[in-house]
Amino acid sequence: MPNAATNAAYVLDMPAERTSCVVFASPHSGRAYPASLLKRSVLNRKMIRSSEDAYVDQLFDSAPESGAPFLAAAMPRAYLDLNRSADELDPALIQGARRHGHNPRVASGLGVIPRVVANGRAIYSGKLTMDEARLRIDTYWRPYHQKLKSLLSESHEMFGQAILIDCHSMPHEAVAMAGGSGSTRPEIVLGDRFGAAASGLIVDQIESAFTDAGLNVARNAPFAGAYVAQTYGRPTRQQHAIQIEIDRSIYMDEDTIQPNGNFQSFREVLRQVSGKIASIGSEPLSLAAE
């Protein structure tokens, strides 16, 4: 049975035996909304969840069965965005934050402490103090990324390489805007920052795992990967990071933020897909060197 470790920043499910160099992670599926956030926000509980990758942690929770760790955020994206750099502070929200050139993510309100949720809806009516921003980062951002770095280092030591699967979901609207007919619109988007974050051979294998399951796959459009892929993807050092975006309409009702009738069957599809992905480069270093 997998072993679960929980703290304020994340939930980590470890396999009974680590047989894969792959690490699965979900930075945006946290849903432990602090009472202080809900009290200060001008949004209701449903609206504030609109930027959450709802249920992605449940969709991939079988990863430890295939010998791979699974790290999931505990705190919601509306409170703290783990797919941003700790210094991406928004001057329009954080008192005393300095501008560091033009950062389109921060400018749009999607810094490490988000100012808005989906469709640009403001979370707060006023500003937050720098002390509060730093407390969130120190309490939640740093422990999550420290654990993620540790897991990847362990994979590298054990198998000679590490593969990070950064799990996300995307609004169906984003897929529709990407163009194509209904039959060719991507249901899965793999982001490797146009080859900068992962080996093409590994991304090919991940794509095949999804296409073999009957899913339409695209690469890098409309999402190529953000901070996590940029930071942890070092293919020349045998460390690869691939962002996976799943069309939310496949498994949930986006209006009610509830699983739809396809949820369990799709979860089973991803169990098979995750197993195939976890098998990539799964030989221990001592065997691979022989």
Side-chain angles (χ1 to χ4, degrees), residues 1-264:
M1 291 291 290
N3 303 302
T6 304
N7 67 19
Y10 58 79
V11 177
L12 173 62
D13 283 338
M14 291 294 294
E17 181 182 2
R18 195 155 172 185
T19 58
S20 173
C21 71
V22 178
V23 175
F24 291 83
S26 175
H28 286 164
S29 59
R31 50 187 171 273
Y33 287 83
S36 59
L37 172 64
L38 297 173
K39 184 177 180 179
R40 295 185 65 173
S41 177
V42 298
L43 302 175
N44 61 35
R45 184 180 287 269
K46 178 182 169 185
M47 292 173 67
I48 206 169
R49 292 190 66 191
S50 61
S51 60
E52 176 189 316
D53 286 353
Y55 310 110
V56 165
D57 55 335
Q58 295 180 31
L59 291 176
F60 285 94
D61 65 1
S62 63
E65 297 174 9
S66 299
F70 181 42
L71 179 69
M75 300 304 288
R77 183 185 187 184
Y79 188 74
L80 179 84
D81 194 335
L82 296 167
N83 201 18
R84 299 289 183 266
S85 168
D87 62 6
E88 289 187 271
L89 295 169
D90 185 351
L93 177 65
I94 310 299
Q95 295 175 11
R98 297 180 180 179
R99 297 188 182 277
H100 298 282
H102 178 64
N103 183 316
R105 294 191 294 248
V106 173
S108 63
L110 297 173
V112 65
I113 309 289
R115 174 165 43 89
V116 302
V117 292
N119 298 318
R121 290 173 291 195
I123 299 172
Y124 310 95
S125 60
K127 287 193 172 187
L128 305 180
T129 66
M130 180 63 76
D131 285 346
E132 181 169 350
R134 292 298 183 196
L135 181 61
R136 293 187 192 185
I137 291 167
D138 290 343
T139 306
Y140 304 106
W141 191 97
R142 297 194 191 285
Y144 179 90
H145 282 279
Q146 286 167 0
K147 179 54 66 175
L148 183 55
K149 288 177 185 177
S150 174
L151 291 168
L152 292 172
S153 294
E154 290 166 5
S155 284
H156 208 282
E157 290 172 9
M158 294 174 69
F159 300 97
Q161 66 176 337
I163 301 172
L164 171 60
I165 304 298
D166 197 44
C167 307
H168 297 259
S169 65
M170 55 187 174
H172 180 71
E173 180 184 21
V175 185
M177 292 173 63
S181 66
S183 61
T184 60
R185 284 175 183 154
E187 297 164 299
I188 307 293
V189 176
L190 305 180
D192 64 356
R193 298 190 64 82
F194 300 94
S199 158
L201 293 175
I202 288 174
V203 182
D204 287 347
Q205 293 178 77
I206 294 169
E207 180 172 348
S208 292
F210 283 104
T211 57
D212 288 350
L215 294 160
N216 293 329
V217 181
R219 294 194 192 183
N220 295 308
F223 304 104
Y227 172 79
V228 167
Q230 182 177 9
T231 301
Y232 295 103
R234 295 288 183 268
T236 58
R237 302 177 192 173
Q238 297 303 309
Q239 181 166 295
H240 311 273
I242 301 92
Q243 177 177 282
I244 294 177
E245 295 275 3
I246 300 171
D247 181 353
R248 291 174 188 163
S249 69
I250 296 174
Y251 67 89
M252 64 176 272
D253 183 315
E254 294 183 81
D255 291 330
T256 63
I257 318 181
Q258 294 296 318
N260 63 23
N262 194 44
F263 182 83
Q264 290 300 338

